Amino acid sequence: MKLGSLIAGLSALALTACASTGDEPRPRTNAAMTADGHAPYASTYERYPGRPTALVGATVYDGRGGQIENGTVLFRDGEIVQIGDASLSTDGYDRIDGTGKFVTPGVIDIHSHLGDYPTPSVDAHADGNEATSPMTPEVWAEHSVWPQDPGFTRALANGGITALQILPGSANLTGGRSVTLKNVSARTVQGMKFPGAPYGMKMACGENPKRVYGGRGRMPSTRMGNFAVNRQMWLDAQAYDGEKRDLGKETLKGVLDGEILIHNHCYRADEMALVMDMAKEMGYKVTAFHHAVEAYKIGDLLRENDVCSAIWADWYGFKMEAYDGILENAAFLREAGACVIIHSDDANGIQRLNQEAAKAQAAGRRVGIDVPDAEVVGWFTYNAAKAMGIAEMTGSLEPGKMADVVLWNGDPLSVYTRPEKVWIDGALMYDALDRKRRPVSDFELGQPGEGDVK
């Protein structure tokens, strides 16, 4: 757990005495229930206690393209109450002066391996790829998540990350279920699980599966082998009647029923087009292509199929299928009317998704595509929530949604800006101005250079 010094004097109490979120919808699993009729490994998340808070005087980006100068954001009891201009009454709220600062929804990373490939990066911690078969839909990423990973607290403090999706790795064609987490301190992964979030399933096309398994002299060793193995997997899943439990087919059935979302690692445009055709053939839908360095070539197809592209700002050229990436990828996708998400896939990158989005915005501006700042903020907030199936609960500053909020000490699209305060469900989880609200993983306590506070 990372309860260390997150809320001084309150940490142990918060786990038992904080307000319940029992009214949240139960996670959809499409798996057999436990003997008492509950979903297996269900979320036990409970929000930390917070106070009614009013952020006043800041520039507010709502995550949906809206911008309010000298704005006011009100939240209490874990939810956004209202956003508007300076005329909103703040009676009954703790006022925080945001003059000269900026407010956004909490940052969301749709592609992370924190907890499954934690720090320290040693072989004993490498738990993200079950690289023993090209198809492992039966594995669940949450069963590898180590809640003490120091990467979680760094993502909170440096990147304003309030929610993130943990995916299996990309060695396999079918890597298994993903899990969406609230970026809070908890003793167990169940205590971090985002209540009501649907599961995802990780798939991969291209070089990785054919390299891993072709290198072992087995199928697949080619791209056509990748597709053949995938198609047979879906045909077998369609025939599953559920009479005898099969963990892998339960997950695949969940995908076919639309309850589990497909997140597909894929680089080349031609392969993404083929995967979308395979999805139509087999009766499932791709929610997002991840990495997608050639997505700019098929923006119209992605828009027509309502598939998001979760991309980097400028990672490319590190292998052949990443060779034809361009800096203007996000801008061209946006011009095509397609969904853009900035993701990390990296324990350091997750700490600066706002800066990565700004780089992608700048690349577009250089070729005459000027994407407004308020829209760019949606690339690392609302669009990620949409593709993760949680946009009805978070990802934007709208009344009734979770109060996942970041107060930035400057323009969030500037390299000089950092989160000043971060709230998750209305609870202040990080405050750069209060040393007692700077989280440290329990794993780091007592190590040289560490202590109760950083």
Side-chain angles (χ1 to χ4, degrees), residues 154-409:
R154 283 161 172 73
L156 175 72
N158 298 327
I161 299 292
T162 56
L164 64 167
Q165 178 174 222
I166 310 302
L167 295 153
S170 56
N172 297 344
L173 292 167
T174 307
R177 292 198 195 197
S178 67
V179 64
T180 295
L181 303 179
K182 284 278 195 175
N183 193 19
V184 298
S185 299
R187 295 175 297 173
T188 65
V189 68
Q190 294 97 315
M192 301 175 74
K193 284 180 73 171
F194 194 117
Y199 281 107
M201 189 179 84
K202 172 72 175 292
M203 297 189 71
C205 60
E207 291 184 20
N208 285 12
K210 77 188 192 81
R211 170 181 51 82
V212 170
Y213 294 99
R216 300 175 185 175
R218 59 175 298 188
M219 191 174 186
S221 65
T222 60
R223 281 180 164 84
M224 61 183 174
N226 285 348
F227 272 81
V229 172
N230 270 335
R231 293 175 72 210
Q232 188 60 55
M233 176 191 73
W234 289 118
L235 290 173
D236 292 345
Q238 290 171 358
Y240 177 59
D241 60 13
E243 290 186 5
K244 180 181 179 181
R245 286 198 69 183
D246 182 302
L247 294 178
K249 289 186 174 64
E250 284 180 357
T251 293
L252 298 173
K253 182 68 162 51
V255 174
L256 294 173
D257 288 345
E259 296 186 354
I260 296 177
L261 309 179
I262 289 291
H263 295 272
N264 209 128
H265 161 120
C266 212
Y267 287 78
R268 280 182 10 188
D270 59 314
E271 284 190 273
M272 287 185 268
L274 282 168
V275 167
M276 286 188 283
D277 280 348
M278 177 170 60
K280 293 173 185 174
E281 176 193 14
M282 297 299 173
Y284 69 94
K285 183 184 184 300
V286 178
T287 298
F289 285 116
H290 291 232
H291 312 333
V293 299
E294 291 188 12
Y296 65 93
K297 298 181 180 181
I298 55 167
D300 56 334
L301 297 180
L302 294 165
R303 180 193 67 243
E304 292 164 7
N305 287 277
D306 189 28
V307 180
C308 290
S309 297
I311 61 176
W312 299 294
D314 55 6
W315 281 15
Y316 70 96
F318 47 89
K319 54 181 175 177
M320 280 305 303
E321 63 185 3
Y323 182 78
D324 214 11
I326 62 172
L327 303 181
E328 300 82 7
N329 194 11
F332 287 158
L333 283 167
R334 184 261 187 182
E335 284 296 278
C339 169
V340 178
I341 301 166
I342 300 297
H343 72 348
S344 79
D345 190 30
D346 179 71
N348 290 312
I350 195 174
Q351 300 176 42
R352 50 191 63 86
L353 290 182
N354 57 312
Q355 296 177 19
E356 295 301 303
K359 288 194 291 184
Q361 177 193 37
R365 187 174 293 141
R366 288 192 293 269
V367 295
I369 301 173
D370 193 2
V371 187
D373 292 355
E375 184 178 340
V376 172
V377 167
W379 292 356
F380 54 88
T381 57
Y382 180 79
N383 286 1
K386 171 190 169 185
M388 292 159 63
I390 56 175
E392 293 183 359
M393 296 178 278
T394 191
S396 58
L397 302 177
E398 299 179 77
K401 287 194 173 183
M402 296 171 171
D404 298 337
V405 183
V406 182
L407 176 66
W408 305 84
N409 63 10

Side-chain angles (χ1 to χ4, degrees), residues 16-249:
T16 57
C18 56
S20 172
T21 58
D23 57 348
E24 298 286 358
R26 181 180 294 174
R28 295 173 289 177
T29 65
N30 197 269
M33 297 295 102
T34 56
D36 58 359
H38 292 89
Y41 312 102
S43 170
T44 59
Y45 170 78
E46 293 184 342
R47 63 179 174 88
Y48 280 77
R51 291 187 55 80
T53 301
L55 307 180
V56 297
T59 298
V60 178
Y61 293 132
D62 67 8
R64 301 293 300 272
Q67 177 176 343
I68 304 171
E69 298 295 338
N70 192 23
T72 302
V73 178
L74 306 177
F75 53 89
R76 69 187 310 153
D77 298 326
E79 294 185 352
I80 302 293
V81 175
Q82 198 170 0
I83 68 168
D85 58 25
S87 67
L88 287 182
S89 172
T90 60
D91 291 347
Y93 292 85
D94 295 344
R95 287 172 58 96
I96 295 177
D97 184 8
T99 303
K101 301 173 184 178
F102 290 71
V103 176
T104 70
V107 179
I108 300 173
D109 191 359
I110 195 173
H111 190 120
S112 177
H113 300 291
L114 292 183
D116 279 5
Y117 283 110
T119 304
S121 299
V122 295
D123 287 346
H125 277 170
D127 289 315
N129 272 310
E130 182 56 42
T132 52
S133 169
M135 299 176 297
T136 56
E138 64 269 27
V139 303
W140 295 18
E142 65 200 73
H143 296 153
S144 282
V145 170
W146 183 44
Q148 293 186 58
D149 183 358
F152 289 119
T153 54
R154 283 161 172 73
L156 175 72
N158 298 327
I161 299 292
T162 56
L164 64 167
Q165 178 174 222
I166 310 302
L167 295 153
S170 56
N172 297 344
L173 292 167
T174 307
R177 292 198 195 197
S178 67
V179 64
T180 295
L181 303 179
K182 284 278 195 175
N183 193 19
V184 298
S185 299
R187 295 175 297 173
T188 65
V189 68
Q190 294 97 315
M192 301 175 74
K193 284 180 73 171
F194 194 117
Y199 281 107
M201 189 179 84
K202 172 72 175 292
M203 297 189 71
C205 60
E207 291 184 20
N208 285 12
K210 77 188 192 81
R211 170 181 51 82
V212 170
Y213 294 99
R216 300 175 185 175
R218 59 175 298 188
M219 191 174 186
S221 65
T222 60
R223 281 180 164 84
M224 61 183 174
N226 285 348
F227 272 81
V229 172
N230 270 335
R231 293 175 72 210
Q232 188 60 55
M233 176 191 73
W234 289 118
L235 290 173
D236 292 345
Q238 290 171 358
Y240 177 59
D241 60 13
E243 290 186 5
K244 180 181 179 181
R245 286 198 69 183
D246 182 302
L247 294 178
K249 289 186 174 64

